[in-house]
Amino acid sequence: MPDFKNASAGSNATGFSAMLDRRQLLLGAAGAAIGAATLGVASGLGIRTARAADRTEISFASASFFGKEGIGDLVKAYNESQDRIMVKFIELPPPSSSTEVYQGLIQQLARRNGTPDVFSQDVIWIAGFAAAGWALPLDEYFPKEKRSDYFPGTVAACTYDEKLTALPWFVDSGMFYYRKDLVEKHGGKVPDTWDDMATMAAAAQKAGDAKFGYLWQGKQAEVLICDAVEVITSNGGSILAHDGKSSIIGEKAAVEAIQFLYDTINKRKISPQNVLSWDEEPSRQPFTSGEAMFMRNWSYVYPIAQDPKASHVVDKVAVAPLPHFAGGKSAACLGGYQLGVNANSKKREAAIEFLTWMSSSETQTRLALNFGLAPSRPAIFQDAKLKAEQPFMASLQNVFTGATPRPITPQYAKVTLALQSGISKALVSGNVQAELKATAEQINKIVA
């Protein structure tokens, strides 16, 4: 079970991996090595071909992801696929220990000695690393016309100060779980809007079909920011202005969105008061126990919901994009890890070549099949083998299309604490407009 208290970025990096058996890899994954010499063309990135003289040694630091294989196996496959670059893997703690991973990267990047040459990073660290001058701008290697190969939200999250400072790798996001049997009984159509969702949830409660209509995560923690980003964005609002230099969370769209969350508890009465102290697992448990109709959560819930030892709703659960307000669009908070190149790397061309291989369609497909990590390239979701081996993941393309990054600012650590406090006060007191206005003023002092 992932530790989401520590996986503060909302990156369910181990979600799909829970079902995987590492031993299977040893029997079947050997054929996935890709010739790096051909990847500049094969990946379709249109990159400037990087050529390193002789066998150049570079280093790659990453959190320790695993499934049927580990990241070390992936690096080994790259090393065996060509004879010009040798990658040394620096293994960091698993993503469930995100604080330790973050500190490990900071300690190394701050030395400015070029090690590691390439690194993976949680999506919320990108702006901070870029602002510190630790991440190499990648625009000259990955032209804008080729970035449409990735989900737009991942490219936005990898961009700071109008420069591409990371390359998309794999994703997770918030999603809308629903009970198929109850939706069929109470209208037959998965609700598109928050209002329709609340009406349907109330009807199911009134009929005695569900104890809870809608479960979400209101604990004063990082996950509250994820829930808030989704509902605010789905009303056309935002936490920061486009330039990232001021907050607009006190404006109408955001106020209406947070007011809706408050109303699910106090007016619509489709959510229990307890959601204000719940993060992912406390909200998951009543859903898989059969007590709720709808729930917002991450991808890791699905295999649990299908496990008869842990779930009372096996074969009764499906996933859709989160609802939106009338006139708005569905939004899902983006999680996942992305790739960066050390700005102080002395072996830049080799680093770019390895980075390109790691983000290629071939490697991302391998990550999906062997690690259970969802691709950041939409086209891979049409892969026949992925559909056969990971049908749930393959069904999530529409969910990830609406993936939205959290506020992109090098001051994110301070901004998220201000948001957690301010939104929590709004949800407890019901004085939403005043609390969000005060929160905006506090954030303005941080990001100005």
Side-chain angles (χ1 to χ4, degrees), residues 8 20-21 24 47 67 122 131 146 152 174 179 190 193 216 229 259-260 285 296 298 325 337 355 377 424:
S8 59
L20 301 179
D21 183 345
Q24 295 173 10
I47 63 164
D122 194 299
K146 289 297 181 182
R179 284 276 301 277
V190 180
T193 68
W216 50 284
V229 164
Q259 182 69 49
F260 170 77
Q285 291 166 3
R296 179 269 173 211
W298 305 94
F325 288 90
Y337 269 64
L355 182 87
R377 293 172 174 269
S424 183

Side-chain angles (χ1 to χ4, degrees), residues 3 11 15 45 60 70 81 86 120 166 224 271 291 371 374 381 383 388:
D3 181 356
S11 305
L45 286 169
F60 171 56
S81 72
M86 176 64 70
S120 70
L224 174 59
S271 304
E291 296 180 290
F371 292 75
F381 289 78
D383 183 271

Side-chain angles (χ1 to χ4, degrees), residues 153-327:
T154 62
V155 175
C158 290
T159 303
Y160 173 70
D161 198 20
E162 300 185 358
K163 296 176 182 176
L164 186 74
T165 59
L167 195 62
W169 200 23
F170 66 82
V171 300
D172 197 2
S173 78
M175 53 193 70
F176 186 59
Y177 285 85
Y178 65 92
R179 284 276 301 277
K180 294 185 290 185
D181 55 330
L182 299 187
V183 167
E184 182 64 28
K185 182 177 179 181
H186 294 277
K189 180 178 179 297
V190 180
D192 292 327
T193 68
W194 290 114
D195 188 59
D196 287 347
M197 183 279 291
T199 300
M200 189 180 291
Q205 285 180 286
K206 186 176 180 180
D209 294 326
K211 181 178 179 180
F212 307 121
Y214 178 56
L215 302 178
W216 50 284
Q217 298 83 37
K219 182 178 180 179
Q220 187 175 328
E222 181 65 21
V223 70
L224 174 59
I225 308 309
C226 297
D227 286 46
V229 164
E230 290 160 352
V231 72
I232 290 171
T233 306
S234 76
N235 199 30
S238 181
I239 291 173
L240 293 184
H242 180 69
D243 64 2
K245 303 294 178 60
S246 63
S247 175
I248 55 176
I249 195 172
E251 296 186 2
K252 182 180 178 182
V255 171
E256 289 178 347
I258 300 301
Q259 182 69 49
F260 170 77
L261 291 180
Y262 175 83
D263 288 347
T264 63
I265 302 170
N266 300 286
K267 182 179 178 182
R268 302 271 195 163
K269 299 187 183 302
I270 57 174
S271 304
Q273 187 78 25
N274 286 343
V275 296
L276 297 181
S277 62
W278 284 354
D279 53 19
E280 288 86 349
E281 270 300 276
S283 61
R284 189 276 300 169
Q285 291 166 3
F287 183 78
T288 52
S289 296
E291 296 180 290
M293 185 177 192
F294 298 120
M295 177 185 66
R296 179 269 173 211
N297 216 314
W298 305 94
S299 60
Y300 84 97
V301 169
Y302 189 80
I304 298 175
Q306 302 308 317
D307 181 357
K309 296 179 181 176
S311 171
H312 294 165
V313 290
V314 175
D315 295 331
K316 295 181 179 179
V317 173
V319 170
L322 286 158
H324 54 79
F325 288 90

Side-chain angles (χ1 to χ4, degrees), residues 9-16 65 121 123 149-155 157-158 167-175 298-300 332-339 364 367-368 371-378 381 393 396-406:
S11 305
N12 181 29
T14 58
F16 298 102
F65 301 99
Q121 57 193 315
V123 68
D149 292 343
Y150 299 97
F151 288 113
T154 62
V155 175
C158 290
L167 195 62
W169 200 23
F170 66 82
V171 300
D172 197 2
S173 78
M175 53 193 70
W298 305 94
S299 60
Y300 84 97
C333 185
L334 178 68
Y337 269 64
Q338 319 307 326
L339 299 164
Q364 287 202 20
L367 282 166
F371 292 75
L373 300 175
S376 55
R377 293 172 174 269
F381 289 78
M393 182 193 294
L396 296 178
Q397 181 176 350
N398 289 339
V399 173
F400 293 142
T401 299
T404 303
R406 278 158 278 181

Side-chain angles (χ1 to χ4, degrees), residues 22 25-26 68-78 89 357 366 371:
R22 180 184 175 88
L25 162 81
L26 302 178
K68 294 179 181 177
E69 61 179 333
I71 296 295
D73 299 308
L74 200 64
V75 171
K76 182 180 179 183
Y78 174 76
F89 177 44
W357 185 88
R366 178 171 175 163
F371 292 75

